[in-house]
């Protein structure tokens, strides 16, 4: 496998186990990235890292420059990309602290710069997104979970919502009827842009709360942060093993 890049989300504005080599602020045709692209070592292997919400978690989901981030990672040599995703759980198998490698996406976002083919380049390509995530990288994530004894749900439909607000209970009921298992705010257009750029992209999702209306109480940041903290070590272990598996 080629060079691995990791896109950090909530709870991962840096990677605790990353041995830092350098960080490069890059120019892209799409404007500024969320942060400089960091090069480092994880599990003894070179990896790239970028926190999608920025170094101070200042960028809300709809303001992230997904195009610039993915373009910069590819220009830096990335072939494989793991997008970390803190999500809400909708269906019964996806309770707080569960790890999942989703296999499908439904995009409910709007108003985001979501394609490289926006007319400016004079070309349009309609990329296939039947399977929105890269099979080889999904397999690799699932194998290292199995080898390291981390329980993981080997599928899941990710509903990508606009945020930054959380959903209403009725919205979550609708997403469940649509077939969503988990809900997050950044999974799209990240996955489809990765496909447009020819990157092998998969998501490693970790559930940090029951989605709205699923637990009998409202969602608090305290609950989200506590569950996030319970996921960090496992997520790092999976990333280190995936980096080392190549
Ligand atoms: N909804 C949307 N995005 C999220 C949630 C949620 O409940 N939890 C973490 N990210």
């Amino acid at each position: 496998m080629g060079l691995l890049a990791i896109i950090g989300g909530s709870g991962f504005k840096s990677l605790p186990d990353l041995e830092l080599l350098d960080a490069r602020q890059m120019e892209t045709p799409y404007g500024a990235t969320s942060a400089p692209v960091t090069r480092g070592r994880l599990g003894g292997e070179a990896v790239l890292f970028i926190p999608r919400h920025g170094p101070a978690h200042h960028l809300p989901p709809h303001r992230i420059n997904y195009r610039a981030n993915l373009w910069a990672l590819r220009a830096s040599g990335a072939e494989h990309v793991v997008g970390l995703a803190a999500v809400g759980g909708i269906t019964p198998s996806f309770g707080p602290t569960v790890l999942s490698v989703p296999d499908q996406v439904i995009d409910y976002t709007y108003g985001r710069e979501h394609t490289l083919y926006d007319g400016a380049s004079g070309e349009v390509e309609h990329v296939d997104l039947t399977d929105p995530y890269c099979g080889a990288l999904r397999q690799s994530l699932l194998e290292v979970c199995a080898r390291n004894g981390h329980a993981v749900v080997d599928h899941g439909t990710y509903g990508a919502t606009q945020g930054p607000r959380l959903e209403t209970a009725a919205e979550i009921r609708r997403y469940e009827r649509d077939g969503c298992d988990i809900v997050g705010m950044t999974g799209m257009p990240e996955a489809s842009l990765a496909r447009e750029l020819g990157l092998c992209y998969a998501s490693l999702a970790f559930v940090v709360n029951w989605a709205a209306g699923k637990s009998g109480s409202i969602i608090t940041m305290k609950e989200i942060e506590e569950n996030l903290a319970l996921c960090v070590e496992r997520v790092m272990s999976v990333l280190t093993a995936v980096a080392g598996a190549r």
Side-chain angles (χ1 to χ4, degrees):
M1 283 209 192
L3 182 61
L4 175 72
I6 297 157
I7 302 180
S10 297
F12 291 92
K13 50 182 190 245
S14 61
L15 292 182
D17 300 344
L18 187 72
E19 183 196 327
L20 201 70
L21 295 175
D22 60 49
R24 255 177 81 204
Q25 186 63 59
M26 296 184 56
E27 293 299 315
T28 89
Y30 305 103
T33 57
S34 297
V37 175
T38 298
R39 273 174 206 278
R41 282 192 189 286
L42 200 58
E45 292 297 319
V47 297
L48 302 174
F49 173 72
I50 193 162
R52 63 167 84 78
H53 294 285
H57 201 98
H58 61 288
L59 292 167
H62 63 293
R63 294 261 179 241
I64 292 168
N65 193 337
Y66 297 91
R67 298 196 299 183
N69 290 348
L70 286 157
W71 189 94
L73 290 175
R74 196 183 72 165
S76 304
E79 290 179 26
H80 295 82
V81 180
V82 173
L84 299 183
V87 296
I90 299 177
T91 50
S93 310
F94 295 84
T97 77
V98 163
L99 279 189
S100 154
V101 179
D103 61 346
Q104 279 297 328
V105 165
I106 299 179
D107 189 3
Y108 300 100
T109 67
Y110 48 87
R112 301 182 180 191
E113 295 286 2
H114 65 286
T115 179
L116 307 180
Y117 302 111
D118 61 358
S121 64
E123 52 171 347
V124 180
E125 197 183 316
H126 303 284
V127 293
D128 176 81
L129 207 63
T130 306
D131 293 306
Y133 299 112
C134 171
L137 188 53
R138 287 193 67 251
Q139 216 42 53
S140 199
L141 286 164
L142 292 171
E143 273 166 27
V144 304
C145 285
R147 216 177 309 136
N148 290 278
H150 299 309
V152 61
V153 184
D154 66 0
H155 65 279
T157 295
Y158 178 116
T161 60
Q162 182 72 352
R165 68 164 177 86
L166 294 162
E167 297 72 35
T168 67
E171 285 170 335
I172 291 298
R173 287 197 297 271
R174 171 190 167 202
Y175 300 156
E176 185 168 14
R177 286 196 300 276
D178 286 354
C180 295
D181 297 297
I182 52 181
V183 60
M185 301 174 189
T186 56
M188 287 293 271
E190 207 167 83
S192 55
L193 285 166
R195 182 63 52 82
E196 287 186 349
L197 283 162
L199 291 161
C200 169
Y201 176 92
S203 167
L204 178 59
F206 41 98
V207 182
V208 295
N209 57 281
W210 280 116
K214 288 289 168 187
S215 73
S217 53
I218 64 160
I219 302 163
T220 65
M221 280 313 292
K222 180 170 177 288
E223 167 196 3
I224 288 179
E225 275 156 22
E226 282 170 3
N227 286 321
L228 230 167
L230 294 173
C231 296
V232 170
E233 208 175 299
R234 268 174 305 146
V235 168
M236 278 317 305
S237 155
V238 174
L239 292 176
T240 304
V242 164
R246 53 208 42 250

